[in-house]
Every structure is written in structure tokens, then in C-alpha cells.
Amino acid sequence: MDSRELSSALLMHGLSHPRPPEGRRHRQIILVSVVGAFGSSFLYGYNLSVVNAPTRYIKAFYNESWERRYGRAIDPDTLTLLWSVTVSIFAVGGLVGTLMVKLIGKVLGRKCALLVNNGFAISAALLMACSLRVGALEMLIVGRFLMGVDGGIALSALPMYLSEISPKEIRGSLGQVTAVFICVGVFTGQLLGLPELLGKESAWPYLFGVMAVPALTQLGSLPFLPESPRYLLFEKHDQEGAEKAFRTFLGKEDVSREVEEVLAESRVQRNLPLLSVQELLRSPFVRWQVVTVVITMACYQLCGLNAIWFYTNSIFEKAGITPEKIPYITLSTGGIEILAAIFSGLVIERLGRRPLLIGGFGLMTLFFGILTATLTLQDHAPWIPYLSILCILAIIAAFCSGPGGIPFILTGELFQQSQRPAAFTVAGTVNWLSNFTVGLLFPFIQKSLDTYSFLVFAAVCFAGAIYFYFVLPETQNRTHAEISQAFAKRNKAYPPEEKTGSTVTDDKRNGRPEADSSSTLENCIQNRIV
């Protein structure tokens, strides 16, 4: 076939199979990501902020319950302990949920894992909403634990699901949906916690009852959407179901190319069972991928954003804002989070993961340093507290523009199908342990270093930026096999399944053409046109 015939054939192919618009083709994928995130990562973000507004009412409820049960007022130390348990048990539940997700995801699949997870959220919402009426403080604590389990499963199952259904050209943008809905959840918790809404003594249980709404919404809509086609092909060997799922997600009838790509990967990994966490940690082929995910998740929690919330009210007071107006000003931080996360989702496929991570942590280092100086010198001039407020907003924006969502994307991109469930277990474990560590140690750090405590977080952000600059390759628009190849030299070990791929790569580097490239194109044209 000469060039003129080839051009005519391609033109005929384009006319006979018009390609639907990009937005239309990805409409189902966007719908799935929104439904999945609303019932999953939204609830995680909501639970991060929902306990702030009713703190004094919950403590009063604890005191009344204790006095009614034991006939005396609760000891202040005991009250502090109960409140600390109420806040921190969320992270303990998250760790338990993370350890459960590998088994649930393997047996039920990605979509069904999210559906089953709604049971934890609904049970927790009912327990916490009814705790005041029943007069049992234990119900509130158990409910917080169950919401932690829900968050642990959601933050592993949802990114895994989105990573497996996404075409590589929009994988980053779709992965950012998780971060966007975390920010929307935080903002919603702040908004509903206002005194005019549910942040008052008579209505605070409804703040927790609201959590049943996203869970019920997902429970009623997600069953009508497909399972992950990669899961169906790799683990259920259901090619017909996978083809149907691909057609729904991609909005086109001919999905042979996508199915063949997954089948090729499946044939390569046919004899590779799902790795356990122990096997993943011992494997030399993914050593640096595991280290990268561990450092990414640790920096995600240890970068100091949780400490920012501790200082926000005091900084606003120093700036002359009255206590009654502080909850409304705090909403600005939630709004900044949402805008920065949306910005990241819009530019991640142009800029890539690596620049956003390095830039985000680098800017956080800079603004943490400025914030330390402004907090130390805030009594020297009336305008300095306002500079502190700007630094807080800048730190939040820098975090949400990259480090706030990319860690979940990378965990799905750095590992092959057989390694991914164990990788998400490792990532989730590090995430929740780091979350618990910050909650446990930050009061002591703050007491010892006062305003200089932010220098600790600046050091963490700086170390993370340096690591990603020297170690992390760009994963934008690359297949899982290509990303694995990028780490192979650093691992000093090439997986057996990648020898073929490396041979092809060597042929390209040595200038030898691929033998079957032209015949594949001709076969494609003949099969579709002739």
C-alpha cells in the first residue's frame, strides 16, 4: 500500500467511524468518579473538619453523661482523655480499614468494595446522631471509629478504581477528583458547623447524621455503573464483561485496542498471582517504587497542614478579628482548598505530577519559613498578623495544588495490576500511622518550640521536594510498564515480564525499526475498512 492509498484508507476509516468529542467520550468516567468520590473521599474530608464546631457541646455532653452515670462531675483529665480518644480513634479506624481493603477488593472487586463500605458510613452516622438522645458517649466514639474504617477503605479502593478505569491521557486529572472532594468535604463541614446552621447545642448531632446522605446516594447510584474492566480481565477473566465496561466508560463501540492492551499485560503477568504486602516489600523489582510511595504518603501527613488548623483561630484573633466572625473567615481556607485542588486537576496533564509535587512542597517550605518569622514578630507591627493570614492561605493553596492529591495518583501508577492492592495497603498504612503520629506528637512539639514548630514541617517539606527531584520520574501519559522501566535502573533489577519491553526499547535506541509496526497498521486498516 503506497502513501496515497494509506491516506485514503485512513480518511475512509475516520469518516466511517467518527470519533466522538472528548467530553462525550469521557462522560461516563467523569460520572463514575463524581459518584465514587461523593460517597468516599467527600466523607473523609467532612470528618476532618466536622468535630471542630461542636467541640464544647460534645464535652458538655460527656460531662452530663458521666455525672448521670456516676453521680459526680467528670475529672478534667478524664474529659481531655475522652476527647483525645474521640478525635484520634478516627485514625485507628482508618488503619483497620486500610488493612481490610486488599481482601475486600480481591473478593468483591473495586466497585463492590465501595458499595459495601457505605454500610460503615451509615452505621456510624446513626450511632453518632442518636448518641445525645440515648445519652451514651460510647456511641459517639464507636461511630468515629467506624467512620475511620470507612475512610481507610475509601482512600484505597477509590483511587485504585479510578486508576484502573482511566485512559492514561486523563489519569492524572481523574485522580485529582479524590483530592477535590476531600476539600469539598472539609468546606462542607465548616459551613454546616456555623451557628446559624447545625453548629449549635440543640443541633450538633445532625452534623454527624448528615454523613448518611452521601453514603445513601452512592449506594443508590453506583450499582448501575460498571466494574473496573482491568479487574474483570485480570482477576475474573471475564472478557465479555470487560469489553462492555470499556464501551460504557469510553463511549464508543470499538474497544478492541483497549482490550488488547490489557490482555497483553495480562499474558505477561499470567503466572504472577496477587502479591502480599510482605512479598511486595521484599521484591527487588519494586524497591524504589515502595520507598517513593512511603515517602510521599508520610510527607502528605507530616507536612504540617494539620498544624495549620491548630493556629488558625489564634492568628485570626491576633489580626483583630472578633471570635464571632472567625468561623466565617475560616471558610476562606476551605474555599482556597477547593480552588487549588481544581486548578491542579486542570493543569496536571500539562505540567505533570513531578513539577506539581516538587513545586508544592517547595512553596510550602518557603511559606512555613515566612510564617515562623511573622508569628515570632507579630507584636512588632499591626500589619504582621495579616501577613500571617496570607501565609496560611498560601500554604493551603500550595498543598492542595499538588501534594494534596498526587500521592493517591502515584500509588496507582507506580505498580502493576498484581502489585497494586498490596501497594495501596502499604500506602494507606503509612498515611494513617502518620496521621496518628501528628495528632499525638504535635501538642508536645508546639509546647516545646511554640512558633518555631513550623520549622519542623518546613524541614519535612524540603526533604520531600529534594527526594522527588532526584528520584521520582514523570509518570504523565505513560503506561504502567513504561513507569516500571523508568525505575528498573535504580532498582538494579529488571522484572522477568519486562524483558520483552526492554528489548523493544533497546531496538529503538539502536535505531533498529520495529518489524511489525507497518504490518500492524495495514492489518488494522484491512480489518476495519476492507
Side-chain angles (χ1 to χ4, degrees), residues 190-211:
Q190 294 171 339
L191 181 64
L192 293 181
L194 293 176
E196 291 80 4
L197 297 177
L198 301 179
K200 48 191 174 183
E201 188 171 7
S202 60
W204 68 262
Y206 299 111
L207 274 172
F208 300 102
V210 165
M211 292 185 293

Side-chain angles (χ1 to χ4, degrees), residues 65-87:
S65 301
W66 190 276
E67 190 171 356
R68 186 170 54 250
R69 188 177 301 178
Y70 299 106
R72 57 184 174 82
I74 191 172
D75 181 79
D77 293 336
T78 305
L79 180 60
T80 302
L81 177 62
L82 283 174
W83 178 246
S84 299
V85 170
T86 303
V87 174

Side-chain angles (χ1 to χ4, degrees), residues 297-373:
M297 280 299 178
C299 290
Y300 171 75
Q301 287 291 350
L302 300 177
C303 67
L305 197 74
N306 292 336
I308 286 292
W309 304 121
F310 182 87
Y311 265 94
T312 300
N313 286 1
S314 62
I315 292 173
F316 287 162
E317 289 176 3
K318 287 284 186 181
I321 300 171
T322 59
E324 295 78 16
K325 294 181 179 179
I326 286 178
Y328 305 96
I329 303 299
T330 304
L331 286 176
S332 64
T333 61
I336 289 292
E337 280 190 305
I338 295 174
L339 292 176
I342 293 174
F343 167 79
S344 179
L346 294 175
V347 303
I348 189 172
E349 296 301 346
R350 293 187 177 186
L351 299 180
R353 287 70 156 147
R354 191 169 176 270
L356 288 176
L357 263 183
I358 297 172
F361 279 122
L363 288 174
M364 289 180 74
T365 303
L366 172 64
F367 288 115
F368 269 132
I370 299 174
L371 181 62
T372 301

